[in-house]
Amino acid sequence: MTKSAEKLPISAFLVTCNEAAHIASVLDALQDFAEIILVDSGSTDGTQEIARAKGAKVLHQDWLGFAKQKNFAMSLCQYDWVINVDGDEILSSEVITHIRKLYEQSEDIAMRLYFEDVFWGEPMSPYSGKRSIVRVFRRSQAQYPLDRKVHENLVLAKGVSTVKVQGLVTHFGYGTTELLMQKKNKYSSLKALEKFEKRKRPSLIKLCFIFPLTFVKSYVLQRMFLSGKRGLVHAHIEAMYAFLKEAKLFEYQQLAGKQHADALQRGRLK
């Protein structure tokens, strides 16, 4: 933040657990915002101590799930305008500058940030498709859907338009093959469970074709091929994530059916 620039009346909020590797840099990039709220679910690597040293208000909350944890953190914010950042995402100066400009122009908007994933030590090709998520908004005009177990995208109030923020947010959360696979495996379980609880039925056709179709989408249409071997690996993992969601939905359905049959059998034997 420049000496002449006043802090933006926006609350930055984060939910964290063991983010010591990047949290100092993440919080340094948030110093233009008037308030930083960090809700931690039990870090043992010094995340909380680093955050306090950087001026964040740190609170502990046992893990409630992605949407509930973010809603809790957001409820602690002083300002109506908020920005949500993960503990492994670093905003560029270009992003901050454009957020400031957009904030001064309009109130009935939500801002969409674009992310570059660091994989194998460097960002994916700048010419490949970038993920985008609405992360800057007025909390009176948005909420996280509590029925979502993962990928808890905001639900915006009617009439709120989204605008693109220039620049990129650097994301370190998918840095290695092992870490990316671990997260996709966890997310696929949560997503399949969410679908199962909503009584969505799995599809054998989807199970057969979702892997190759997702690979083509990631590798060709989203141009991951421009990242060479890294893009090839990343695209395969994205395809595996799509496949696992459907496979696990079949698994949950079969196990539930078996439990139901066993319960009926026990009832007959009594």
Side-chain angles (χ1 to χ4, degrees):
M1 184 177 67
T2 62
K3 292 183 179 179
S4 60
E6 295 182 357
K7 290 198 174 188
L8 281 162
I10 295 176
S11 296
F13 69 94
L14 307 86
V15 298
T16 61
C17 185
N18 293 330
E19 298 287 0
H22 303 290
I23 196 64
S25 297
V26 171
L27 296 177
D28 282 343
L30 298 176
Q31 295 304 312
D32 275 69
F33 301 106
E35 179 182 49
I36 302 175
I37 301 291
L38 186 145
V39 174
D40 190 86
S41 56
S43 292
T44 58
D45 64 350
T47 295
Q48 295 186 36
E49 291 76 14
I50 296 170
R52 290 191 181 96
K54 293 293 183 179
K57 299 175 184 178
V58 179
L59 298 94
H60 172 83
Q61 170 60 54
D62 291 340
W63 185 245
L64 302 171
F66 288 102
K68 290 181 179 180
Q69 194 82 351
K70 287 190 175 183
N71 266 324
F72 173 74
M74 187 168 63
S75 74
L76 303 173
C77 293
Q78 174 183 350
Y79 298 97
D80 189 31
W81 274 98
V82 296
I83 176 172
N84 172 234
V85 178
D86 289 345
D88 52 17
E89 298 171 348
I90 301 176
L91 276 64
S92 67
S93 58
E94 184 181 5
V95 169
I96 299 292
T97 298
H98 200 214
I99 288 175
R100 183 181 291 276
K101 181 179 179 181
L102 291 170
Y103 169 81
E104 293 170 350
Q105 288 178 349
S106 177
E107 290 190 351
D108 293 324
I109 60 171
M111 304 181 204
R112 183 176 294 276
L113 303 184
Y114 284 76
F115 296 79
E116 62 174 2
D117 294 323
V118 173
F119 189 54
W120 292 9
E122 60 183 288
M124 299 292 282
S125 168
Y127 302 105
S128 62
K130 301 297 182 185
R131 296 183 301 114
S132 68
I133 311 173
V134 174
R135 289 290 189 87
V136 188
F137 52 93
R138 294 177 64 188
R139 60 193 179 109
S140 59
Q141 297 179 333
Q143 62 180 352
Y144 290 101
L146 299 181
D147 62 337
R148 299 287 293 272
K149 295 183 181 298
V150 69
H151 306 316
E152 62 294 344
N153 295 333
L154 277 170
V155 177
L156 298 172
K158 189 175 181 179
V160 177
S161 58
T162 60
V163 296
K164 299 177 181 179
V165 174
Q166 297 172 2
L168 292 172
V169 179
T170 303
H171 176 228
F172 290 92
Y174 295 159
T176 66
T177 304
E178 180 179 8
L179 184 58
L180 182 57
M181 280 295 296
Q182 286 175 350
K183 289 193 173 184
K184 293 298 185 181
N185 189 38
K186 176 183 177 181
Y187 296 162
S188 64
S189 295
L190 291 171
K191 195 63 182 176
L193 182 59
E194 177 187 309
K195 289 183 176 182
F196 177 74
E197 290 179 349
K198 292 180 178 179
R199 300 182 182 276
K200 292 187 177 181
R201 298 184 64 82
S203 164
L204 186 59
I205 293 177
K206 190 173 181 180
L207 185 68
C208 291
F209 294 105
I210 193 65
F211 187 101
L213 290 176
T214 303
F215 176 79
V216 171
K217 175 184 175 182
S218 299
Y219 192 64
V220 180
L221 300 182
Q222 296 179 345
R223 295 177 290 184
M224 284 190 180
F225 67 89
L226 295 173
S227 294
K229 295 186 292 293
R230 294 182 305 125
L232 182 65
V233 172
H234 206 299
H236 272 98
I237 294 175
E238 289 296 332
M240 179 57 70
Y241 168 60
F243 174 80
L244 286 175
K245 286 189 292 183
E246 200 66 19
K248 290 175 181 180
L249 182 56
F250 267 108
E251 180 182 9
Y252 293 151
Q253 184 187 57
Q254 179 164 322
L255 291 175
K258 184 177 185 303
Q259 291 172 355
H260 181 66
D262 290 345
L264 289 176
Q265 182 65 25
R266 286 195 299 270
R268 295 190 188 100
L269 294 175
K270 287 182 180 180

